Amino acid sequence: MSITAENPTAEAPTEVPLPPAPSEATFAQPDMFMNLEADSFQPIKGFPAAEMRQLPAVAKYSGGLANAFIIRANPEYKWQGAPWHLHHLNVHFNYIIKGWAVFEFEGVGKVRLEAGTGFYQPPRNRHRELDASNDFEVLAVELPASYPTTFYSLDPETGEYQTMTIDAESEGGELTTVVKFDEAG
């Protein structure tokens, strides 16, 4: 009997060869494993209260079918929330890793989401982020990897909403192009 450091009474695993690859098999690549480093978080342009870490292998190896990233609060700033907006995508799943946040969703209202909460957000659901703890961190998974987002801004003089759609195209999970245009409100 062999003895291992993890379990001194367990027998060492027997080497089992890999079976022949079926034609539809794909191979893992070293860059599919993405270590979370403190300096890999980048500021979000126009939103200093949060930082984002792209997980680029998801978009790259899914051929743009999916994207994943982590957003965390920047404790140097108070979370100011975001205006009403909607994402033109097919799947949007979030998992709160740390802290808490208050969101408002069309159809449900205000919801406090805490660490350990996962939620599916329907496509094109208008929502806004209202508040978050200084240690807030969320994992987001989206399909497709690139999609437009429409923001709604209330004009205080007219009482009408103006809309702005930002169409962000991604290449390997990295933001490469941002095109802004106004729509009729």
Side-chain angles (χ1 to χ4, degrees), residues 26-35 53-70 139-142 145 170-175:
T26 58
F27 297 97
Q29 302 296 320
D31 66 341
M32 290 178 171
F33 304 92
M34 301 163 282
N35 291 326
R53 179 177 195 269
Q54 291 285 351
L55 301 172
V58 177
K60 178 180 178 180
Y61 288 101
S62 72
L65 294 176
N67 191 25
F69 53 89
I70 297 170
L139 168 68
V141 178
E142 304 170 332
S170 66
E171 180 177 296
E174 300 294 329
L175 187 64

Side-chain angles (χ1 to χ4, degrees), residues 91-150:
V91 174
H92 192 173
F93 175 79
N94 293 278
Y95 179 79
I96 311 301
I97 300 168
K98 290 172 31 179
W100 57 265
V102 177
F103 280 62
E104 187 171 8
F105 298 96
E106 184 175 25
V108 175
K110 292 181 184 176
V111 179
R112 182 181 166 103
L113 305 164
E114 298 185 4
T117 302
F119 66 96
Y120 172 79
Q121 185 175 334
R124 293 163 299 286
N125 176 256
R126 291 184 292 185
H127 63 285
R128 60 186 179 158
E129 298 83 15
L130 298 173
D131 197 6
S133 62
N134 284 346
D135 64 343
F136 175 68
E137 204 166 289
V138 61
L139 168 68
V141 178
E142 304 170 332
L143 285 84
S146 179
Y147 54 86
T149 297
T150 299

